[in-house]
């Protein structure tokens, strides 16, 4: 569907229903047409206007839960309405593949739609990888101390069920290269898999994944990445980063609907990673035969909520319309402004990496004089939404900057922290 058709269908779909201001969706459309809008404040104002976020609050937690912009909400509503009018089992394969094609383009020039499965979230992806690989009792998996519950529990489940052994390294926040060395120190003849974040949910640390991939592949070890915090949060290329398996929730930085995500499997490894829930295969029950789909669709199963994924496609279009490069520039600029401001508050301890190249759009900090709870209470009083982090004993507060945020919000949070300190 082209944009003109989209707007026409949108207008038809919303007649008489409570959908947030359409003028904003249309004004975003105008920005798309007006390439000369450039990267100035006017553009970011138009982008901000696409969000229904409570204007009384400053939302600095896209790393926790994203918020869908209007074109995504309206797309979701439009598809839901049309499907509820004429319920139909199965889905429009062309549209489904079109979502994968657009997503693949966002994930890198060499990414193929056939290698992507549309799944519910990174938690599902972590479990497919942890439980679907042929690991046996005594096989070792290396991970980091700063992983999300999704990855920790997926690995522990496999450890309880099949006796795999989990080896954990403490992130090096001073030297990125130190992480490669810490992984290398845990590798031995029993290591089969390194499974870790691409960007951590604790301090927003970008791991040197290419170097870790090289180390893994030299020794015949698989590398799987939990990328819930990476695509769109940092400059990104899925085939370049060196992973064999990659999963992501698309409701955060990609701004799709909740309960959407993807799993990517490097070409040639499909038959190595078994689906957890088979539901997409050719079979002959009399002969006892089953052959999975020839592509990553084998990890998709059951009736789908198509509207969720079609709207996720609209989120990909939204990101592409602004441009991932321009988004990174904007978010990184805000995060670095905040980082530098934190450095000037003596009571603050910065939890994020020392090297700028490994910092992202998320910054973590704590205070020598206040508990995380006290910081959370004070920021909530100022109506600023940030996230407390307890994972891996990080004991800090995490601040995420995304397209709807502006410098003044970073400065206001710094003011609040100065007062608290
Ligand atoms: C690194 C990481 N992995 C996995 C997840 C789980 O995401 P979901 O709840 O969408 O499955 C998160 C959520 O914050 C995360 O930050």
């Amino acid at each position: 569907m082209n944009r003109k058709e989209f707007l026409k269908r949108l207008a038809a779909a919303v007649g008489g229903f409570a959908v947030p201001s359409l003028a904003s969706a249309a004004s975003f459309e105008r920005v798309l047409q007006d390439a000369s809008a450039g990267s100035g404040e006017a553009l970011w104002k138009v982008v901000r206007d696409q969000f229904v976020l409570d204007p009384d609050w400053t939302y600095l937690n896209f790393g926790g839960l994203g918020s869908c912009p209007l074109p995504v909400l309206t797309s979701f509503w439009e598809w839901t309405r049309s499907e509820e009018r004429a319920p139909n089992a199965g889905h429009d394969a062309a549209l489904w593949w079109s979502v994968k094609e657009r997503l693949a383009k966002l994930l890198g020039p060499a990414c193929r739609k056939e290698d992507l499965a549309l799944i519910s979230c990174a938690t599902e992806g972590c479990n497919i990888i942890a439980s679907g690989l042929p690991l046996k009792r005594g096989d070792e998996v290396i991970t980091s101390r700063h992983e999300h519950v999704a990855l920790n529990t997926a690995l522990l489940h496999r450890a309880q069920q099949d006796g795999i052994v989990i080896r954990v390294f403490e992130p090096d926040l001073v030297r990125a290269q130190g992480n490669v060395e810490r992984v290398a120190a845990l590798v031995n003849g029993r290591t089969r898999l390194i499974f870790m974040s691409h960007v951590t949910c604790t301090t927003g640390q970008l791991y040197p994944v290419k170097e870790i991939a090289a180390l893994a592949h030299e020794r015949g070890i698989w590398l799987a990445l939990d990328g819930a915090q990476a695509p769109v949060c940092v400059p990104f290329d899925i085939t370049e980063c060196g992973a064999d398996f990659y999963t992501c929730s698309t409701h955060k930085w990609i701004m799709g609907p909740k309960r959407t995500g993807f799993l990517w499997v490097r070409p040639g490894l499909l038959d190595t990673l078994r689906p957890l829930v088979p539901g997409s295969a050719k079979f002959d029950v009399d002969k006892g035969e089953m052959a999975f789909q020839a592509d990553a669709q084998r990890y998709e199963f059951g009736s789908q909520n198509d509207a969720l994924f079609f709207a996720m496609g609209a989120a990909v279009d939204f990101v592409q319309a602004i441009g991932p490069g321009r988004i990174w520039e904007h978010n990184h600029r805000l995060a670095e402004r905040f980082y530098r401001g934190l450095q000037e508050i003596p009571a603050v301890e910065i939890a994020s990496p020392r090297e700028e190249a490994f910092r992202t759009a998320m910054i973590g900090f704590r205070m020598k004089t206040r508990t995380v709870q006290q910081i959370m209470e004070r920021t909530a009083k100022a109506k600023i939404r940030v996230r407390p982090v307890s994972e891996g004993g990080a004991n800090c507060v995490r601040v995420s900057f995304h397209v709807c945020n502006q410098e003044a919000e970073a400065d206001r949070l710094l003011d609040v922290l100065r007062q608290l300190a």
Side-chain angles (χ1 to χ4, degrees), residues 330-344:
H330 172 267
N331 296 356
H332 187 56
R333 180 167 50 80
L334 295 191
E336 287 302 301
R337 183 184 179 91
F338 181 64
Y339 182 90
R340 287 192 302 276
L342 286 178
Q343 283 178 314
E344 282 160 21

Side-chain angles (χ1 to χ4, degrees), residues 63-64 121-123 148 150 197 199 201 226 228-229 249 251-252:
C121 55
T123 303
H148 190 268
S197 292
V199 171
C201 65
D226 172 359
Q229 302 289 355
S249 293
H251 65 76
K252 296 172 189 281

Side-chain angles (χ1 to χ4, degrees), residues 24 28 34 53 75 125 130 137 169 181 224 248 323:
S24 297
F28 188 67
D34 183 7
L53 286 160
S75 166
R137 182 165 297 279
F169 73 92
E181 293 156 13
C248 177

Side-chain angles (χ1 to χ4, degrees), residues 177-250:
Q177 181 60 25
N179 293 289
V180 187
E181 293 156 13
R182 289 175 189 199
V183 170
L186 293 178
V187 171
N188 62 44
R190 291 178 301 279
T191 310
R192 302 289 310 284
L193 171 68
I194 299 168
F195 196 175
M196 57 193 282
S197 292
H198 189 172
V199 171
T200 65
C201 65
T202 48
T203 65
Q205 176 173 26
L206 171 66
Y207 279 131
V209 290
K210 256 193 198 174
E211 289 78 359
I212 293 172
L215 176 150
H217 293 152
E218 262 167 32
R219 295 161 174 82
I221 297 166
W222 296 302
L223 173 66
L225 294 179
D226 172 359
Q229 302 289 355
V232 181
C233 178
V234 288
F236 189 79
D237 188 327
I238 204 162
T239 54
E240 278 284 298
C241 75
D244 298 302
F245 309 98
Y246 200 104
T247 187
C248 177
S249 293
T250 46

